[in-house]
Amino acid sequence: AATSLLMGVTRASSEAYVLALDIELPDKNVIPSEKGRVLASGKLSIKSKTIKEMNSDYLTSMLGVAYALASGLFNASAAIKNVDVMAHAQRMDSSTLQSRDTYLYAVSFGRENFRNEVKSNLSPVDILILFPHLIKLTANNEMKPVDPERGILQ
């Protein structure tokens, strides 16, 4: 269930670089399907998560991958002005019964906005909307396939 990464570098100007990342996300089954809490009696109560809770946990975790990578790369070099992330997972194509890359989101992090706008008290979805992005979410927080080749929303 490891995340894989492809990276390309383009020079935006003589002193600025844009990093383009294509990351492969793990499957949804990496998210625990149960939640626990300690009752007042001291006993542990374990219950199954709802579909929305599972999707929300996956969404939060997978968007966090992009933020962590962008943060680390911006810290690695002041010459990096943008980190563009496209994220995909292996999904079964029902017509061919073969797994294929299915893109789930794309986001373009600019250094200035990243430094000035990202606050620790914001949710991953709240952070995402601060930047040009492409994502389709259902009411249950499921990420639906997107086509990053068509461009990133402004």
Side-chain angles (χ1 to χ4, degrees):
T3 299
S4 65
L5 170 69
L6 291 174
M7 183 167 64
V9 179
T10 57
R11 186 174 271 203
S13 68
S14 61
E15 60 280 328
Y17 290 90
V18 174
L19 296 182
L21 309 178
D22 187 344
I23 58 176
E24 182 175 337
L25 302 173
D27 195 62
K28 284 183 183 181
N29 65 8
V30 301
I31 302 297
S33 61
E34 297 176 324
K35 59 184 175 180
R37 69 180 191 130
V38 178
L39 303 174
S41 65
K43 291 185 180 182
L44 180 62
S45 170
I46 298 177
K47 295 183 179 180
S48 294
K49 289 182 183 177
T50 65
I51 290 172
K52 186 169 186 172
E53 288 173 321
M54 292 283 297
N55 289 339
S56 294
D57 288 351
Y58 185 72
L59 173 65
T60 300
S61 298
M62 297 309 108
L63 290 177
V65 170
Y67 307 142
L69 287 170
S71 178
L73 291 167
F74 284 136
N75 283 331
S77 173
I80 298 170
K81 299 301 180 202
N82 265 72
V83 176
D84 296 342
V85 179
M86 294 188 312
H88 68 274
Q90 293 289 314
R91 298 285 164 89
M92 183 67 71
D93 183 335
S94 59
S95 64
T96 64
L97 299 178
Q98 300 288 321
S99 66
R100 65 179 180 90
D101 292 346
T102 301
Y103 283 87
L104 300 177
Y105 70 85
V107 60
S108 180
F109 295 111
R111 176 183 285 279
E112 290 305 312
N113 281 352
F114 198 87
R115 179 176 51 200
N116 296 331
E117 301 295 334
V118 175
K119 309 286 189 268
S120 62
N121 61 339
L122 295 176
S123 76
V125 175
D126 290 338
I127 294 171
L128 182 74
I129 63 175
L130 296 173
F131 300 93
H133 66 279
L134 181 61
I135 193 169
K136 289 182 188 175
L137 295 176
T138 67
N140 277 336
N141 284 335
E142 180 181 7
M143 289 186 281
K144 298 304 253 181
V146 297
D147 183 2
E149 297 298 320
R150 295 189 144 194
I152 293 178
L153 302 177
Q154 298 301 318

